[in-house]
Amino acid sequence: MEQRRTHICPEPNCGNGFTKKGNLNVHLKTVHGDKRFVCGQVETNGIKGFDIWDGADACGSAFTSKARLLEHIKSAHLTRATKPTGMAKKQEKRARKKKVSTLAKLTGSGYAEESGRYITCLVAGCAWGFMREYDHAMHLQSHHGLTDLEIQAMQMDGNTLEKLFPRSSFTGRLAFEDPNDFAESALDGQLGDLVQGATLNDSEEFWIGDQDFSTTDAVHQRLEDEIEMQRLIHDFHDVSDMEVDIGDDASTRLQIEKAIELAWDPRSDQSLKAQAFEFLNKLRSRREGWSVCFALATRRPRPSEVIRHVSLDIVNNAIRTGQLNDSDLAVVSNNMLGYIEGVYAGGNTSWSCGTPDSASIQNKITQTVTYLFTTMYENRWPAFFTDILKLTSTPRSTAKYNAAGTVMYLKILIAIHDEIADVMLPKSPEEQKKDMLLKDLVRERDIQMIASSWHEILAQWSSKEGTIIELCLTCIGRWVAWTDISLAVNDSLLTLLFELLNPQLAANDSVKTLENREAAIETFVEILSKKMSASDKLELIDVLRVNEAVTLLVNSQPLLQARHTSDYDTDLAEDVAKLVNSTVSDIVRALDTAKDNESVLIRGTAQLKTFLPHVLRFLSDEYDEICSTVIPCLTDLLALMRKNAKSNSNFSSENAFMLPLILDAVIAKVKYDDTAVWGNDDAQTDEAEFQELRLRLHNLQQAVAAVNENMYIAKITNVVMTTFEMYKRNDGQLGWRELELALRQLFLFGELGMKNGGLYSKTKPVSPAAEQLIGMMLKLMDTDVASSSHPSTQLQYMELCVRYYMFFEANPQYISRVLEYFVTFVHHDHPKVRLRSWYLLQRFVKHVRPQIGNIAETVMQALGDLLPIKAEIAEEASGNEDGDMSSDDGQSASARFASQLYLYETVGSVSSVKAVPIDNQVLLMRSVMDPLFSDLEAHLGRAGSGDKRARLQIHHLIMALGTLARGFSDWTPANSASNASPPAAAVSEEFARASQAILVALGRLKSSFEIREAARFAFSRFIGVLGNRILSQLPRWIDGLLTQDSTKDEVALFMRLLDQVIFGFKTEIYDILNTLLTPFLQRVFTGIGEAAAGTDDEIQLAELKREYLAFLTVVLNNDLESVLVSEVNQPVFGMVISTIEHLARDVNDYPTAKLSFNVLTRMVSTWGGPDIVPQPQAAGSVSTVNGDSKLKLEGFDQFMMTRFSPLCWAIPSNANFDCKDAQAKHVLGEAAALQKAIYSKTGQQYLTYLRDAELSGMGMDSATIEEYLNAMCNMDTKGFQQYFK
């Protein structure tokens, strides 16, 4: 990547490099800037606070703004305090947060140091203090009865000021005479608040130098501002019918100026600033305010930039929101037209001014004119375009030689397009209708005149002013989207565009020439984006001679001769690539919509063939951002080819030659280029971007394969096999980039080779692609690519072996060689390869375990030094140089431990293979677990005493033991689908020791969440290695895992594990479950009964409810229902039923309600006895009676009618029930199934109950009741569910 940074910063001692010239320009402006403010060369006389400096000790330092220069003078030459340091700011913040007593807050009497009320009352003897002058004035009025004039007189008394503001009470602040002396960047930020009518928080701070309030003049001015602003607000509140006369009411304009300056000035007092914003917001909402603001914006002499900007924005807001009537609009339009004619066209001498408006004011004026257009063009100002077109010429000539006016004219046209024709701007249907009307009127009235003006402007200024040419081309490009293209595009325009693209004209590399060239390219793109028919679009591409333009640019010196040099113009290349992408996408869309239009197909196909070389040229560009630019059009092209291939169209056969060319270019781009560095931490960003590009390129490869699979298979096979052969022939002397490319292509080929789910059907390849894949894997093994020294190829080799493990199942002779490489890579020098290999080794061993021989001791010896566990808490890890990264591999300690667990799983897997004798399996497990037991015992005491690292160490040890068990056995109790068998008794005994050790640690540390978490993980893994031995330990596991500190999530997760135990050992667990059920359920009920404390807690509570219902379902489904009603558990059975009933009524949790009805239905089926009513069957099936021999609970038939049946109506009768919700409908379906189940067990008894009690009690009439009962009797369950919904 460093070699691509060809644009080097020319500033001394900088040396930063960039891949694009545009990025360098941004860097120069933002970092180095134009340092034209030089210490000693800028006049500071007249700037308050700097008059005393004569510049004698000037140092010549240069700065990008006057504000930075003055700050430098202040700190370096006047020895004033500069901007507070970070520590000073923190101390100040702490001081502000210092607690103030309630007495000081409420009374303000005394406690000045504590409360910050340094403004003392002016009345002698009064002890009150204030933070703001406003509060002080209100106090003088309310407590002392003074009038406003008396208060002002007292505040202006110089003798009082010295007493009021002692010098020690204020830190100085720099005051500027002219707001424009501030940094220019501050202007935009403050303007944003003003024009949007923002408000400020009292705590918001601004810091611009020091404002010195130690002088009487400064304090006097501050009080004047305060008084004036109060009067302004007061007047605006009281005078509701205020009339403003433009040009006469000078005092009002002065007030508005003052308000804007106070609101914008960062040095203003915060209370003043808030009042100023309040005043301006009211001014914005009053229809009278626009006239004063308009007079301010166009006044001579001009006020400050910020005043004009805010004033124009208030005017614009009034126009846009319809505050102006017809006469008002006439005044604004006439005066605005007169102003721009006087300033930009030299007419109307009353408005003429020697200096032009700034760019920001020009933009604001453009916005004003645009709003006037949208409001008045239809009826009030039909000659709008005729009037503004006059700006392009002077009063003494009709030729368009007026530069300033022409620029303004073009800016107005562009703004009008953006306002009424920008499709990206969201608008209401009414606004869209209005915009359409305006566009129709423009097309009907003035478009020919406007188009003619463009051509005249281009003719007049083509060799004179680059800015005007750029603006005119931009204008044409935008307007052509919704106007007649023939009016804008003609031979003269094309001639000009090609002149701007001419490489000879661009040879001087001037900024304007480059900008015009960019504008010309963008004009091509904009014109081509116009919507039109397929045939017209293809004709337009030919008329515009786009291929000729692209060829001219591609063969220009910046893109051809300089392509592989530092002078390569990446900005130009990206612009041309955008043009190519846009053109080809248009051609593809035209062909896609052409259908049977033969002329379009012929023309479009010819254009595709013409542009394909351009596409491939930019696809193969070494700069990834340029390559990415043309990927969309290739995606469109391949999609079209695939579509036509399916329909057997001639298009695909005629263009089949394109596919190999595209695929070759894509494969070449997938390869790392010569400047790439793999695995370097400094290049992580570049690597991530390249991998993202690779994904997009891979999508292109898949698209090619979808069009012509056979060609794709042959091409990829050739690339891989040729590379492997070269590697073998050259004895491994092949560049890593070529080898990595072949390995990656082999890896990706699996999506095609294994798309049917595997490689083999019995012993033969499942497809031609699978056959080629097997051949490439054989070549990979024969070539011994793993011996390559580069880490990227070694890592890719392991990934391949894991992905294609089925190859090794059919070819087990290669397994030992692959394992040799794996155990070598686990100690690799590169951390990325090393840690990834730990995971891949485990995956590979797990897949091929049945084919592995007795290699456990060899593997364990190789991994031995990696197995010791050393826990690292976050505080310790953060002490390393890499923050929280471990020092040896650059990965966090927790991530490294997670990778280490894969090694333990690998050890368990290789130790459990059939080739290893049982005695050796025991010894191997003992050799791994004994060190873990010793370590566990050594840390248990310290962990119990609160040692964090010791506790984390025990967590890691428990996780390692659980992971070892997971690797050793895949056996799951009662899982007939699994071919795995339980471990031998001797091995289980060893894991029983591990389980006992964990239970001891859990008993001592069960208050620790992380220990419970690790123990729960180990418990889940020990089920497969302990078998029914775990049942006797179950009480201790429950006691340790379900404590008072356990979260709802922990309880839910353990219930899920308990479901597995019940299912696996259902014939052996009854006695233990009978003993544990009541205390276990009581713990669950406690969790369900706790109120949720937040969103996360609500999610956990819902999950706990569902796991509770799932647990009951498991008990009922595994013939353990009697445990729920046993003598021991009968006291809690009522709570079980009540809890289910409560959950069934919950309309806020439909999934839980559905499960509740499902459990109730299962209970009816279990304890309701045999069916006494045959269930209606679908046509053709035989009706049967359930001969369920389970014991019927005495009295349960009456119980389920009176308790369960009413629940079916509880949900739909709830006011919050949403019958349209899909999940709610599922609940109703389960409720209907419950009623059918009750009816099948009780028959006529249930019908009588429904008729006489339940349904009639609900107010249902007899006819409806009979209809309902008839449906229940005659419909099957599915039909009745639909009826009930």
Side-chain angles (χ1 to χ4, degrees), residues 890-952:
Q891 199 175 43
S892 66
S894 59
R896 188 180 187 280
F897 171 69
S899 298
Q900 191 178 18
L901 289 178
Y902 292 120
L903 298 178
Y904 278 92
E905 189 168 353
T906 299
V907 168
S909 295
V910 298
S911 301
S912 63
V913 300
K914 294 181 180 180
V916 179
I918 300 300
D919 293 342
N920 286 0
Q921 292 182 11
V922 172
L923 294 175
L924 290 171
M925 289 299 94
R926 196 172 290 172
S927 68
V928 177
M929 288 192 287
D930 283 350
L932 299 179
F933 294 158
S934 300
D935 203 3
L936 193 68
E937 184 178 6
H939 287 84
L940 193 57
R942 294 202 302 273
S945 301
D947 188 311
K948 291 183 179 180
R949 202 198 72 80
R951 186 177 300 170
L952 185 60

Side-chain angles (χ1 to χ4, degrees), residues 603-651:
R603 191 172 200 169
T605 302
Q607 289 178 343
L608 272 183
K609 295 176 181 178
T610 301
F611 277 92
L612 182 62
H614 299 316
V615 175
L616 298 180
R617 178 258 180 263
F618 289 110
L619 182 68
S620 61
D621 197 284
E622 62 180 302
Y623 289 90
D624 294 345
E625 61 268 26
I626 297 173
C627 167
S628 299
T629 304
V630 296
I631 289 180
C633 72
L634 275 176
T635 303
D636 294 342
L637 173 59
L638 292 171
L640 177 64
M641 297 181 74
R642 181 181 183 183
K643 179 179 178 181
N644 283 276
K646 289 182 176 180
S647 60
N648 297 318
S649 170
N650 292 332
F651 176 82

Side-chain angles (χ1 to χ4, degrees), residues 723-866:
T723 304
F724 288 169
E725 184 60 35
M726 289 175 60
Y727 180 84
K728 182 178 181 180
R729 188 168 59 247
N730 297 332
D731 296 326
Q733 300 302 312
L734 184 65
W736 70 268
R737 295 174 180 85
E738 288 76 15
L739 189 57
E740 194 276 343
L741 173 64
L743 294 172
R744 178 173 179 80
Q745 291 301 323
L746 177 55
F747 183 86
L748 298 177
F749 191 79
E751 295 181 6
L752 184 61
M754 297 195 305
K755 67 179 180 180
N756 295 322
L759 285 175
Y760 297 93
S761 175
K762 297 182 179 179
T763 59
K764 296 182 179 180
V766 294
S767 66
E771 183 177 2
Q772 293 298 322
L773 178 56
I774 294 169
M776 289 185 278
M777 286 298 296
L778 289 170
K779 189 68 175 180
L780 175 68
M781 295 294 105
D782 179 60
T783 307
D784 202 21
V785 170
S787 61
S788 170
S789 60
H790 198 273
S792 68
T793 58
Q794 295 168 341
L795 183 58
Q796 193 68 264
Y797 174 84
M798 291 187 288
E799 299 280 3
L800 283 168
C801 292
V802 171
R803 180 165 197 177
Y804 302 134
Y805 70 89
M806 289 171 284
F807 167 82
F808 296 97
E809 291 176 339
N811 300 275
Q813 66 273 21
Y814 297 112
I815 293 178
S816 59
R817 187 195 306 176
V818 171
L819 285 174
E820 289 177 8
Y821 283 116
F822 266 100
V823 296
T824 301
F825 295 151
V826 295
H827 294 90
H828 203 283
D829 294 335
H830 200 291
K832 185 175 181 180
V833 178
R834 180 171 65 252
L835 295 179
R836 182 65 176 171
S837 70
W838 296 359
Y839 166 73
L840 293 174
L841 173 61
Q842 175 268 324
R843 289 283 308 279
F844 183 74
V845 168
K846 185 173 183 178
H847 286 311
V848 300
R849 177 161 56 180
Q851 288 78 30
I852 293 179
N854 189 0
I855 60 170
E857 292 187 20
T858 304
V859 173
M860 290 181 63
Q861 288 177 1
L863 304 181
D865 61 320
L866 301 174

Side-chain angles (χ1 to χ4, degrees), residues 1114-1125:
V1114 169
V1115 171
L1116 293 170
N1117 288 342
N1118 287 279
D1119 299 326
L1120 292 169
E1121 65 279 355
S1122 58
V1123 77
L1124 294 172
V1125 293

Side-chain angles (χ1 to χ4, degrees), residues 1211-1278:
I1211 279 273
S1213 63
N1214 192 301
N1216 296 321
F1217 179 76
D1218 183 6
C1219 61
K1220 296 181 180 180
D1221 188 284
Q1223 291 184 324
K1225 292 181 178 180
H1226 287 305
V1227 176
L1228 294 179
E1230 292 299 327
L1234 175 60
Q1235 293 184 78
K1236 285 288 291 184
I1238 296 174
Y1239 172 65
S1240 68
K1241 301 296 182 182
T1242 58
Q1244 186 59 42
Q1245 182 183 2
Y1246 184 45
L1247 297 178
T1248 303
Y1249 167 78
L1250 289 174
R1251 181 184 294 108
D1252 298 342
E1254 187 170 301
L1255 298 181
S1256 59
M1258 293 167 53
M1260 191 179 296
D1261 61 81
S1262 57
T1264 305
I1265 292 175
E1266 293 305 321
E1267 177 189 342
Y1268 185 82
L1269 297 180
N1270 184 60
M1272 179 184 294
C1273 295
N1274 298 321
M1275 291 183 179
D1276 61 4
T1277 300
K1278 186 175 181 180

Side-chain angles (χ1 to χ4, degrees), residues 411 413-419 421-422 454 471-483 522-523 526-527 529-530:
K411 283 187 174 182
L413 291 183
I414 293 173
I416 288 174
H417 162 84
D418 293 343
E419 180 65 24
D422 187 353
W454 295 333
L471 279 174
C472 191
L473 291 177
T474 301
C475 189
I476 293 173
R478 296 190 185 181
W479 277 62
V480 77
W482 54 280
T483 58
E522 185 63 26
T523 302
E526 292 284 357
I527 294 174
S529 65
K530 181 177 177 63

